[in-house]
Amino acid sequence: MITKTQLQVKRVFDVFLVLLILPIFLIPIVLLIIIATIDTRRYGIYSQYRVGQHGKLFKIYKIRTLKDTEHHQRNLEQRATTIGKYLRRSKLNELPQLFNVLIGDMSFVGPRPDLQGFADELKGEDRIVLKVKPGITGPATLKYRDEERVLERQKDPIQYNRTIIWVDKVKINKNYVLNYSFYLDLTLILKSTLNK
């Protein structure tokens, strides 16, 4: 299982990496915010409370992609703008989360941060998932890269997510925490980069 020392090393690596790449992505992020503001006719940054490490809530930042303000699991792809669909598929809408990593709410690798009603309601041994910061990428994120399209094919996407996908994600994320290594993080970052 991940140790306190490993968590500290993980944080030092996160800060080092984000300081290294943020200057490269700063101008693209600003441009995407401007484009999204024009495209959606609302401020181009979308923020929402998510469940973080130890169950604490934090605000996650994304490039806005939807035509309306509501954010639930039904018809996300249909409600996204044309540009928004591209940003979601390419994951460019996730770039502002570099700031979440910088301020310490997130890590580069970890379980994806969930809405209230999921990670905050974990019981027993499953709560081990909350030991680490949520990540921009992770093993479950890679497996369910096309999650939105999978959900859109279901009659009841919310129920399917809760009973099938969420249950599997918890197993994957528990395994990540129990078998953590710095090398594993590097491998997952590389796989995420190659899967863009």
Side-chain angles (χ1 to χ4, degrees):
M1 182 174 23
I2 192 167
T3 66
K4 187 175 180 180
T5 301
Q6 286 175 319
L7 285 170
Q8 290 169 342
V9 171
K10 188 173 169 64
R11 176 62 186 153
V12 170
F13 174 73
D14 283 338
V15 173
F16 170 77
L17 186 56
V18 79
L19 289 176
L20 187 68
I21 67 174
L22 190 55
I24 299 167
F25 287 106
L26 197 54
I27 291 175
I29 290 171
V30 171
L31 289 174
L32 287 173
I33 292 170
I34 294 168
I35 291 167
T37 300
I38 295 167
D39 186 44
T40 63
R41 298 181 182 178
R42 283 190 309 281
Y43 181 52
I45 284 283
Y46 172 80
S47 65
Q48 185 181 52
Y49 281 104
R50 296 290 179 95
V51 178
Q53 189 179 29
H54 309 305
K56 293 179 181 176
L57 295 180
F58 73 97
K59 264 190 179 180
I60 194 172
Y61 299 104
K62 297 186 178 188
I63 301 294
R64 189 179 294 278
T65 59
L66 303 183
K67 298 169 186 173
D68 51 58
T69 55
E70 289 297 314
H71 191 282
H72 44 78
Q73 289 165 324
R74 201 177 293 275
N75 301 322
L76 286 177
E77 190 75 6
Q78 293 174 17
R79 290 163 42 228
T81 65
T82 301
I83 294 173
K85 288 175 184 176
Y86 169 75
L87 294 177
R88 295 176 77 82
R89 288 173 183 167
S90 65
K91 306 298 182 185
L92 289 172
N93 66 314
E94 310 278 352
L95 279 176
Q97 286 161 45
L98 292 173
F99 293 100
N100 285 117
V101 174
L102 184 63
I103 62 180
D105 290 329
M106 291 178 66
S107 175
F108 275 98
V109 182
R112 280 300 293 166
D114 287 299
L115 296 166
Q116 287 177 274
F118 288 91
D120 53 324
E121 294 184 1
L122 289 170
K123 305 292 183 188
E125 291 181 1
D126 290 347
R127 289 190 66 81
I128 196 173
V129 171
L130 298 174
K131 191 173 178 71
V132 298
K133 295 179 192 290
I136 293 176
T137 190
T141 306
L142 287 168
K143 179 173 180 178
Y144 290 102
R145 181 173 173 79
D146 296 321
E147 179 180 338
E148 287 180 12
R149 273 167 272 182
V150 171
L151 289 172
E152 293 212 344
R153 293 195 293 268
Q154 309 306 317
K155 283 186 177 179
D156 188 343
I158 294 173
Q159 179 68 10
Y160 187 85
N161 182 55
R162 279 195 175 274
T163 58
I164 306 295
I165 295 179
W166 169 244
V167 173
D168 191 37
K169 282 182 178 179
V170 172
K171 289 179 184 175
I172 293 168
N173 290 326
K174 277 174 65 178
N175 187 60
Y176 167 76
V177 177
L178 288 169
N179 298 286
Y180 175 80
S181 71
F182 183 65
Y183 175 75
L184 176 60
D185 270 10
L186 293 178
T187 302
L188 291 167
I189 289 170
L190 182 60
K191 283 182 180 178
S192 299
T193 303
L194 294 175
N195 282 338
K196 292 295 182 191

